[in-house]
Amino acid sequence: PPPPPPPPPPPPSSPPPQALLPPPPPKPVASPRRRRVECGRRNKCSGERSMWADPGDQHEVRCCSDTQISGWQQRVDCPWAESDAGMGGCHGEKTFAEAEAICASANARLCTAEELVNDCSRGTGCGFDDELIWSSDQKPERSPPPAPPPQQGQVPQPPSPPQSPPPRKVECGRAGNCPEPTRWAEPSERHEVRCCSDTALEKFRRVRECGLWVSSKNGMGGCQGEKTFAEAEAICASANARLCTAGELRAGCTRGTGCGFDDELIWSLTTS
């Protein structure tokens, strides 16, 4: 009889199961940056000052729009603003996310801190003129720490190319008095200088409605015209003061302080 067929080969052995690696740890969630809250009407908030607030804090809501919305108020050099009309009523004690959503649902946006400081939303109702209002401005991030020096034997990395300084806002010395429109100016341009101080300076003029001390020449070594931004900043620093913000200039805080600058464009601190 024929020999029996050979037995089938054994199945190939499967590789041993690999040990499961633990999942990577979750990346840390960056905490949301703080947002600016400003008084509903300048100098009306007793006991509370404008500040950077945590987004989880609760404050009042007013909205702004760059296009006209029926029933909303518009002041000179301001967007349209409102506290309740078209917003489902008054909104107090809201977080930043809630405030942002309320304005978005009204086809609008939160006002900027500068718009609130310029009283663009004052008198729009809900009794919020003496309350802190959410703005869209977020607190700037801190600059990263400098890189450590290279260790011995390491080739130092070439430095990053320097970034060009951002444009700065130039505003008329007296609103509506300049033949040129306000605009963003390159720091190398030349414009006139006026300085502001948040604390009393002997030779500066006090402007109570702005809460500032201001000057065009006194305490500054005389009139300072046709200066670059860096020169203007240094002039104010040498007087223990600072450049004014665009909002302060637009509010007329420095008008009539001399040097014939009421019809000239003045450097401001405000950057684009």
Side-chain angles (χ1 to χ4, degrees):
S13 59
S14 58
Q18 294 183 349
L20 294 176
L21 297 175
K27 294 182 178 179
V29 179
S31 58
R33 284 157 64 181
R34 294 184 169 195
R35 300 285 178 155
R36 191 76 175 173
V37 288
E38 294 284 351
C39 188
R41 183 170 185 157
R42 188 187 303 161
N43 300 328
K44 267 284 187 180
C45 294
S46 58
E48 292 186 290
R49 300 182 63 181
S50 57
M51 61 177 178
W52 296 106
D54 287 320
D57 292 351
Q58 294 189 328
H59 294 287
E60 278 54 52
V61 185
R62 283 178 165 174
C63 302
C64 283
S65 173
D66 299 306
T67 55
Q68 184 174 1
I69 296 178
S70 177
W72 287 36
Q73 162 189 293
Q74 187 188 31
R75 293 182 176 275
V76 177
D77 294 328
C78 286
W80 284 264
E82 188 50 62
S83 293
D84 54 355
M87 297 168 52
C90 300
H91 295 280
E93 299 295 312
K94 300 296 182 184
T95 66
F96 174 78
E98 290 170 335
E100 201 170 36
I102 288 164
C103 292
S105 68
N107 295 318
R109 58 173 174 81
L110 288 173
C111 308
T112 66
E114 185 175 347
E115 289 163 348
L116 293 171
V117 168
N118 289 339
D119 280 346
C120 290
S121 71
R122 80 176 188 196
T124 53
C126 298
F128 290 166
D129 275 5
D130 57 358
E131 300 287 348
L132 293 179
I133 311 294
W134 282 116
S135 83
S136 59
D137 288 36
Q138 65 179 357
K139 189 173 184 180
E141 291 180 324
R142 291 183 178 179
S143 301
Q151 297 180 357
Q152 189 174 4
Q154 286 184 331
V155 178
Q157 295 293 323
S160 302
Q163 293 184 340
S164 57
R168 301 282 178 159
K169 196 71 179 284
V170 287
E171 292 281 349
C172 187
R174 185 177 188 134
N177 213 42
C178 291
E180 300 177 272
T182 63
R183 59 184 175 84
W184 297 104
E186 294 299 326
S188 58
E189 294 182 26
R190 294 186 175 272
H191 295 287
E192 278 54 53
V193 185
R194 283 178 167 173
C195 301
C196 286
S197 173
D198 301 299
T199 56
L201 291 177
E202 182 181 356
K203 296 183 179 180
F204 277 40
R205 176 197 294 179
R206 185 179 185 185
V207 184
R208 290 181 180 273
E209 61 268 26
C210 296
L212 295 171
W213 285 260
V214 301
S215 181
S216 293
K217 56 181 178 178
N218 295 332
M220 297 167 51
C223 299
Q224 305 286 343
E226 297 295 313
K227 302 296 182 184
T228 66
F229 175 79
E231 291 170 338
E233 198 168 37
I235 288 164
C236 291
S238 67
N240 294 320
R242 59 170 173 81
L243 288 173
C244 310
T245 66
E248 290 163 349
L249 292 169
R250 200 157 46 238
C253 296
T254 68
R255 71 184 182 190
T257 52
C259 297
F261 290 167
D262 275 6
D263 57 358
E264 299 286 349
L265 294 179
I266 311 295
W267 280 116
S268 83
L269 266 180
T270 305
T271 184
S272 61

